[in-house]
PDB file of all heavy atoms in Angstrom:
ATOM      1  N   ASP A 131      45.394 -18.748 -66.649  1.00  0.00           N
ATOM      2  CA  ASP A 131      44.822 -19.233 -65.397  1.00  0.00           C
ATOM      3  C   ASP A 131      45.841 -18.924 -64.310  1.00  0.00           C
ATOM      4  O   ASP A 131      46.915 -19.521 -64.262  1.00  0.00           O
ATOM      5  CB  ASP A 131      44.561 -20.736 -65.495  1.00  0.00           C
ATOM      6  CG  ASP A 131      43.910 -21.291 -64.230  1.00  0.00           C
ATOM      7  OD1 ASP A 131      43.767 -20.529 -63.247  1.00  0.00           O
ATOM      8  OD2 ASP A 131      43.545 -22.483 -64.220  1.00  0.00           O
ATOM      9  N   ASN A 132      45.528 -17.979 -63.438  1.00  0.00           N
ATOM     10  CA  ASN A 132      46.487 -17.520 -62.440  1.00  0.00           C
ATOM     11  C   ASN A 132      46.476 -18.342 -61.159  1.00  0.00           C
ATOM     12  O   ASN A 132      47.199 -18.004 -60.216  1.00  0.00           O
ATOM     13  CB  ASN A 132      46.214 -16.048 -62.104  1.00  0.00           C
ATOM     14  CG  ASN A 132      46.485 -15.129 -63.277  1.00  0.00           C
ATOM     15  OD1 ASN A 132      47.392 -15.359 -64.065  1.00  0.00           O
ATOM     16  ND2 ASN A 132      45.672 -14.086 -63.420  1.00  0.00           N
ATOM     17  N   ALA A 133      45.682 -19.404 -61.116  1.00  0.00           N
ATOM     18  CA  ALA A 133      45.662 -20.271 -59.939  1.00  0.00           C
ATOM     19  C   ALA A 133      46.996 -21.008 -59.831  1.00  0.00           C
ATOM     20  O   ALA A 133      47.427 -21.682 -60.767  1.00  0.00           O
ATOM     21  CB  ALA A 133      44.507 -21.263 -60.021  1.00  0.00           C
ATOM     22  N   ASP A 134      47.660 -20.867 -58.698  1.00  0.00           N
ATOM     23  CA  ASP A 134      48.963 -21.499 -58.501  1.00  0.00           C
ATOM     24  C   ASP A 134      49.203 -21.645 -57.005  1.00  0.00           C
ATOM     25  O   ASP A 134      48.724 -20.819 -56.211  1.00  0.00           O
ATOM     26  CB  ASP A 134      50.068 -20.657 -59.136  1.00  0.00           C
ATOM     27  CG  ASP A 134      51.365 -21.423 -59.319  1.00  0.00           C
ATOM     28  OD1 ASP A 134      51.323 -22.671 -59.345  1.00  0.00           O
ATOM     29  OD2 ASP A 134      52.431 -20.781 -59.429  1.00  0.00           O
ATOM     30  N   GLU A 135      49.931 -22.670 -56.637  1.00  0.00           N
ATOM     31  CA  GLU A 135      50.213 -22.905 -55.221  1.00  0.00           C
ATOM     32  C   GLU A 135      51.448 -23.769 -55.093  1.00  0.00           C
ATOM     33  O   GLU A 135      51.594 -24.778 -55.782  1.00  0.00           O
ATOM     34  CB  GLU A 135      49.009 -23.598 -54.556  1.00  0.00           C
ATOM     35  CG  GLU A 135      49.162 -23.843 -53.069  1.00  0.00           C
ATOM     36  CD  GLU A 135      47.928 -24.484 -52.455  1.00  0.00           C
ATOM     37  OE1 GLU A 135      46.900 -24.589 -53.162  1.00  0.00           O
ATOM     38  OE2 GLU A 135      47.982 -24.868 -51.275  1.00  0.00           O
ATOM     39  N   PHE A 136      52.362 -23.357 -54.209  1.00  0.00           N
ATOM     40  CA  PHE A 136      53.506 -24.227 -53.911  1.00  0.00           C
ATOM     41  C   PHE A 136      54.076 -23.866 -52.545  1.00  0.00           C
ATOM     42  O   PHE A 136      53.856 -22.782 -52.006  1.00  0.00           O
ATOM     43  CB  PHE A 136      54.589 -24.153 -54.993  1.00  0.00           C
ATOM     44  CG  PHE A 136      55.434 -22.903 -54.978  1.00  0.00           C
ATOM     45  CD1 PHE A 136      56.577 -22.817 -54.210  1.00  0.00           C
ATOM     46  CD2 PHE A 136      55.071 -21.819 -55.756  1.00  0.00           C
ATOM     47  CE1 PHE A 136      57.343 -21.673 -54.204  1.00  0.00           C
ATOM     48  CE2 PHE A 136      55.840 -20.668 -55.764  1.00  0.00           C
ATOM     49  CZ  PHE A 136      56.986 -20.589 -54.981  1.00  0.00           C
ATOM     50  N   VAL A 137      54.801 -24.820 -51.999  1.00  0.00           N
ATOM     51  CA  VAL A 137      55.478 -24.668 -50.715  1.00  0.00           C
ATOM     52  C   VAL A 137      56.942 -25.026 -50.920  1.00  0.00           C
ATOM     53  O   VAL A 137      57.258 -26.018 -51.590  1.00  0.00           O
ATOM     54  CB  VAL A 137      54.865 -25.597 -49.639  1.00  0.00           C
ATOM     55  CG1 VAL A 137      55.656 -25.503 -48.337  1.00  0.00           C
ATOM     56  CG2 VAL A 137      53.406 -25.260 -49.406  1.00  0.00           C
ATOM     57  N   SER A 138      57.831 -24.232 -50.359  1.00  0.00           N
ATOM     58  CA  SER A 138      59.257 -24.574 -50.369  1.00  0.00           C
ATOM     59  C   SER A 138      59.797 -24.417 -48.956  1.00  0.00           C
ATOM     60  O   SER A 138      59.402 -23.506 -48.229  1.00  0.00           O
ATOM     61  CB  SER A 138      60.029 -23.678 -51.343  1.00  0.00           C
ATOM     62  OG  SER A 138      59.901 -22.314 -50.993  1.00  0.00           O
ATOM     63  N   PHE A 139      60.681 -25.323 -48.588  1.00  0.00           N
ATOM     64  CA  PHE A 139      61.287 -25.224 -47.263  1.00  0.00           C
ATOM     65  C   PHE A 139      62.705 -25.783 -47.327  1.00  0.00           C
ATOM     66  O   PHE A 139      63.027 -26.625 -48.178  1.00  0.00           O
ATOM     67  CB  PHE A 139      60.458 -25.973 -46.206  1.00  0.00           C
ATOM     68  CG  PHE A 139      60.352 -27.459 -46.447  1.00  0.00           C
ATOM     69  CD1 PHE A 139      61.308 -28.339 -45.971  1.00  0.00           C
ATOM     70  CD2 PHE A 139      59.276 -27.974 -47.169  1.00  0.00           C
ATOM     71  CE1 PHE A 139      61.201 -29.709 -46.203  1.00  0.00           C
ATOM     72  CE2 PHE A 139      59.159 -29.344 -47.408  1.00  0.00           C
ATOM     73  CZ  PHE A 139      60.133 -30.209 -46.920  1.00  0.00           C
ATOM     74  N   GLY A 140      63.546 -25.310 -46.424  1.00  0.00           N
ATOM     75  CA  GLY A 140      64.925 -25.778 -46.382  1.00  0.00           C
ATOM     76  C   GLY A 140      65.709 -25.011 -45.330  1.00  0.00           C
ATOM     77  O   GLY A 140      65.187 -24.124 -44.645  1.00  0.00           O
ATOM     78  N   ARG A 141      66.980 -25.354 -45.216  1.00  0.00           N
ATOM     79  CA  ARG A 141      67.864 -24.719 -44.230  1.00  0.00           C
ATOM     80  C   ARG A 141      68.893 -23.877 -44.960  1.00  0.00           C
ATOM     81  O   ARG A 141      69.632 -24.376 -45.809  1.00  0.00           O
ATOM     82  CB  ARG A 141      68.527 -25.779 -43.354  1.00  0.00           C
ATOM     83  CG  ARG A 141      69.505 -25.230 -42.342  1.00  0.00           C
ATOM     84  CD  ARG A 141      69.844 -26.245 -41.290  1.00  0.00           C
ATOM     85  NE  ARG A 141      68.712 -26.475 -40.390  1.00  0.00           N
ATOM     86  CZ  ARG A 141      68.780 -27.268 -39.321  1.00  0.00           C
ATOM     87  NH1 ARG A 141      69.902 -27.919 -39.039  1.00  0.00           N
ATOM     88  NH2 ARG A 141      67.724 -27.424 -38.543  1.00  0.00           N
TER      89      ARG A 141
END
Side-chain angles (χ1 to χ4, degrees):
D131 182 354
N132 294 325
D134 196 21
E135 182 178 352
F136 75 88
V137 176
S138 59
F139 63 87
R141 178 165 289 184

